[in-house]
């Protein structure tokens, strides 16, 4: 096993404050491994073969991801905006999406086993009408085999999500709601192009949670322009006061080309928080959740009670296969990793022609299970020797201990070893840098695999 233990990009800096200074910045939004591109006519033949193949393990976890590519306005930090909400365009899109659902549900791969989780994301799915929400969820339940405890999540924003939509979703079978609040603070929200002020958001979430019909989960984003430590502290208190059943704490990832970057350059927004400030915000969030006895589900997610399970988020970070539906949806089936066409006209034309609306297809590497175990372990905060050795080969955890030892010296992990039971647990600093550490470990294993193959 070869790696450079003096490479600070790999092992981090030896610093008294690894939480804030171990690395210069977060490496990426998500960790991932090497893939092999498929192009041209081979895309369609590869996908047809993948959907026609019954998996050898019908007990393996699987999910559905359904993409709704509409928003009334583009938030300044968002990289997912596709189309402004329009009734006529939404009507046309929903007709094609429901056709894709019926088509994909009949495939051999689809019918081989039930799905454990369904996630309707976007975009802003809550911009759909009550009728569209009801029809979409009803179609999913009608045409796909779902496990009895299948988690069905509807994502969106609280703005214009009236009780008519909420009740239509519940009646159709939605049993989890995820709202991108990002911040409760009115000024922060306005600067990010979010609708509604703090009082309106709190009132709406309280009302939905009071139904006691399904978990209400919030996303909070830290590091936004105007978001001071005092405002972030209030955001955390507002989460508790909202009555929500769970919360994700995500750090702002600065991406060039987004409206926020342009507005900062033009002097219309102050700079967002730097890495050190975001580290302080993460530290504050972790301490706050522990103080108020929130149950931790991952390094970024907490639940206020046992109703919130976060099944889709957990499975999507493991070996679970995900069938994508809709323009802009991403997923993976039988080793094919795909992103469906974001262009509406191209997507609709492909569905009408019974062609997979995919222009970007990658074949997963042979060691995809290794990457999945690493991503899952680092998301949970601990990587177990038995799990890594099971997919990477006996002795792999031990072979990596020189790297783990330097990470431990640099304050990022704690290494525990008792016979064949080893555990690599992330410290608070390691939790903040979890994606960077996972990506580094995946690249180490891939580089060594490539070297040995050569």
């Amino acid at each position: 096993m070869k790696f450079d233990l003096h490479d600070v990009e790999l092992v981090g800096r030896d610093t008294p404050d690894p939480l804030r200074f171990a690395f210069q910045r977060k490496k990426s939004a998500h960790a991932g491994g090497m893939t092999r591109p498929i192009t041209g006519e081979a895309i369609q033949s590869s996908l047809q073969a993948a959907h026609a193949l019954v998996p050898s393990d019908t007990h393996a976890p699987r999910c559905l991801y359904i993409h709704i590519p509409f928003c009334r306005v583009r938030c300044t930090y968002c990289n997912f905006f596709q189309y402004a909400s329009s009734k006529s365009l939404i009507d046309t899109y929903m007709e094609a999406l429901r056709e894709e659902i019926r088509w994909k549900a009949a495939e051999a791969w689809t019918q081989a086993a039930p799905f454990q989780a369904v996630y309707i994301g976007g975009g802003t799915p809550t911009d759909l009408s009550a009728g569209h929400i009801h029809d979409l969820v009803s179609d999913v339940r009608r045409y796909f085999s779902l496990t009895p405890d299948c988690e069905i999540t509807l994502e969106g924003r609280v703005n214009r999500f009236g009780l008519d939509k909420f009740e239509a979703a519940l009646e159709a079978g939605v049993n989890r709601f995820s709202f991108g609040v990002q911040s409760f603070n009115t000024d922060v929200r306005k600067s990010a192009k979010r609708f509604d002020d703090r009082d309106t958001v709190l009132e709406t979430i309280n009302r939905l949670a009071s139904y006691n019909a399904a978990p209400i989960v919030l996303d909070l984003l830290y590091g936004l322009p105007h978001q001071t430590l005092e405002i972030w502290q209030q955001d955390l208190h507002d989460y508790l006061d909202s009555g929500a059943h769970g919360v994700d704490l995500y750090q702002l990832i600065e991406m060039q080309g987004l409206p926020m970057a342009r507005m900062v350059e033009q002097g219309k927004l102050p700079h967002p928080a730097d890495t050190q400030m975001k580290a302080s915000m993460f530290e504050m969030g972790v301490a706050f959740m522990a103080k108020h006895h929130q149950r931790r589900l991952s390094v970024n997610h907490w639940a206020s009670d046992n109703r919130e399970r976060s099944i889709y988020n957990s499975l999507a970070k493991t070996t679970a296969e995900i069938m994508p539906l809709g323009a802009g949806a991403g997923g993976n089936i039988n080793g094919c990793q795909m992103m469906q066409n974001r262009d509406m006209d191209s997507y609709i034309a492909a569905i009408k022609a019974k062609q997979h609306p995919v222009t970007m297809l990658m074949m997963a590497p042979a060691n995809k299970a290794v990457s999945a175990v690493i991503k899952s372990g680092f998301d949970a905060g601990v990587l177990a020797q038995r799990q890594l050795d099971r997919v990477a080969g006996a002795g792999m955890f031990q072979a990596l201990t020189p790297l783990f030892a330097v990470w431990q010296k640099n304050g990022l992990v704690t290494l525990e070893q008792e016979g064949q039971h080893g555990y690599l647990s992330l410290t608070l600093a390691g939790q903040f840098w979890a994606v960077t550490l996972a990506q580094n470990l995946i690249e180490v294993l891939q580089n060594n695999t490539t070297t040995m193959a050569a």
Side-chain angles (χ1 to χ4, degrees), residues 279-293:
S280 296
M281 290 174 151
F282 176 75
E283 183 178 35
M284 182 183 291
V286 172
F288 181 92
M289 295 300 161
K291 179 179 179 180
H292 294 281
H293 302 281

Side-chain angles (χ1 to χ4, degrees), residues 84-332:
S85 298
S86 155
K87 184 181 184 305
S88 60
L89 190 57
I90 289 176
D91 288 344
T92 302
Y93 176 73
M94 291 302 295
E95 183 178 341
L97 178 58
R98 295 180 70 187
E99 185 176 342
E100 183 186 11
I101 286 173
R102 292 189 292 270
W103 166 35
K104 297 286 184 67
E107 297 282 11
W109 179 88
T110 310
Q111 296 188 355
F115 293 81
Q116 285 82 24
V118 178
Y119 197 93
I120 305 171
T124 310
T126 51
D127 275 0
L128 298 179
S129 67
H132 281 323
I133 293 173
H134 190 280
D135 289 344
L136 175 59
V137 179
S138 297
D139 279 358
V140 169
R141 291 173 60 84
R142 179 183 302 116
Y143 294 110
F144 289 94
S145 175
L146 308 178
T147 59
D149 66 342
C150 181
E151 176 190 86
I152 303 177
T153 299
L154 180 69
E155 182 188 65
R157 63 175 89 206
V158 297
N159 178 259
R160 293 191 180 180
F161 188 63
L163 295 182
D164 59 332
K165 294 184 180 184
F166 185 55
E167 291 174 357
L170 289 172
E171 182 181 343
V174 172
N175 54 26
R176 183 177 183 268
F177 295 84
S178 178
F179 294 109
V181 171
Q182 316 313 354
S183 175
F184 288 93
N185 183 270
T186 300
D187 291 335
V188 174
R189 292 178 59 79
K190 285 182 178 179
S191 71
K193 300 294 185 184
R194 302 295 293 180
F195 296 111
D196 296 329
D197 60 17
R198 172 177 175 268
D199 290 343
T200 301
V201 175
L202 276 170
E203 179 183 345
T204 303
I205 297 170
N206 262 295
R207 182 167 63 249
L208 300 180
S210 70
Y211 266 62
N212 202 27
I216 307 297
V217 184
L218 310 181
D219 286 348
L220 292 180
L221 195 59
Y222 57 91
L224 290 163
H226 297 299
Q227 192 181 36
T228 63
L229 286 175
E230 291 75 20
I231 289 175
W232 176 238
Q233 181 78 16
Q234 187 60 54
D235 280 334
L236 298 172
H237 279 286
D238 286 345
Y239 152 67
L240 285 185
D241 294 339
S242 73
H245 304 92
V247 65
D248 280 289
L249 305 183
Y250 293 122
Q251 65 168 296
L252 175 69
I253 303 297
E254 299 171 48
M255 291 175 278
Q256 293 302 312
L258 296 183
M260 178 179 290
R262 292 194 295 271
M263 294 176 73
V264 170
E265 290 173 2
Q266 296 166 0
K268 296 178 180 179
L269 280 179
H271 281 275
D274 59 17
T275 295
Q276 289 72 43
M277 175 62 80
K278 287 187 285 190
S280 296
M281 290 174 151
F282 176 75
E283 183 178 35
M284 182 183 291
V286 172
F288 181 92
M289 295 300 161
K291 179 179 179 180
H292 294 281
H293 302 281
Q294 302 297 288
R295 182 168 55 94
R296 199 169 192 177
L297 302 180
S298 75
V299 294
N300 297 311
H301 191 67
W302 287 262
S304 63
D305 58 25
N306 290 329
R307 301 188 68 180
E308 162 59 347
R309 300 176 295 167
S310 193
I311 293 177
Y312 178 86
N313 290 330
S314 297
L315 292 180
K317 294 169 183 173
T318 65
T319 54
E321 293 185 292
I322 301 172
M323 170 172 275
L325 298 161
N332 61 294

Side-chain angles (χ1 to χ4, degrees), residues 100 104 324-330 338-342 347 357-359:
E100 183 186 11
K104 297 286 184 67
L325 298 161
M338 70 209 80
M339 178 65 70
Q340 302 208 145
N341 205 317
R342 292 167 62 97
Y347 165 77
V358 174
T359 56

Side-chain angles (χ1 to χ4, degrees), residues 34-40 42-43 46 337 359-364:
M34 289 190 302
T35 54
R36 176 172 57 87
I38 302 295
T39 59
I43 291 178
S46 297
Q337 298 182 5
T359 56
M360 183 188 302
L361 180 64
M362 311 295 287
M363 297 304 295

